[in-house]
């Protein structure tokens, strides 16, 4: 009985370890550098049908939004350095 349990436990352990030993289809250029595109996908996305081709108008909107955010943050930091109080709402910061 004890031998049967041991054999079953060992078989279960090998069964769990088997997927780790299976070949995953990657061809490593060097240890740790095993990236490769999935079959049917190009190695380089730029210029392919999978390239998102971002709209310059949308990118300009994001750029403008980031500049406005940085200006608000600069105003908050300047007021904090001046008074020692942090006010999140930029509209509540007095203009001196």
């Amino acid at each position: 009985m004890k031998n049967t349990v041991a054999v079953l436990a060992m078989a279960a352990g090998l069964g769990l370890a088997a997927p780790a030993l299976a070949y995953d289809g990657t061809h490593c250029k060097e240890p740790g550098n095993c990236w490769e595109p999935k079959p049917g996908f190009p190695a380089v996305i730029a210029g392919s049908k999978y390239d998102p081709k971002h709209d310059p108008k949308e990118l300009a909107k994001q750029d403008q939004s980031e500049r406005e955010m940085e200006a608000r943050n600069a105003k908050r930091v300047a007021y904090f350095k001046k008074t020692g109080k942090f006010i999140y709402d930029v509209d509540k910061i007095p203009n001196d």
Side-chain angles (χ1 to χ4, degrees):
M1 182 69 173
K2 289 181 183 179
N3 290 339
T4 305
V5 172
V7 170
L8 288 176
M10 194 163 51
L14 290 174
L16 292 174
L21 301 174
Y23 177 67
D24 63 358
T26 58
H27 305 283
C28 299
K29 295 174 187 168
E30 57 189 35
N33 184 9
C34 296
W35 184 88
E36 64 180 353
K38 289 183 178 182
F41 286 90
V44 178
I45 300 297
S48 72
K49 70 177 184 176
Y50 301 101
D51 191 357
K53 298 175 185 70
H54 297 291
D55 184 7
K57 291 178 187 177
E58 292 299 319
L59 292 176
K61 284 182 194 177
Q62 182 176 356
D63 186 47
Q64 177 65 26
S65 171
E66 288 176 1
R67 278 190 260 127
E68 291 170 358
M69 176 190 67
E70 289 170 357
R72 288 189 307 271
N73 287 339
K75 192 171 183 181
R76 289 177 184 124
V77 169
Y79 184 75
F80 177 75
K81 286 181 180 178
K82 183 177 171 184
T83 64
K85 295 184 219 172
F86 184 81
I87 298 177
Y88 179 77
D89 190 354
V90 179
D91 295 330
K92 294 181 180 177
I93 296 175
N95 293 329
D96 292 333

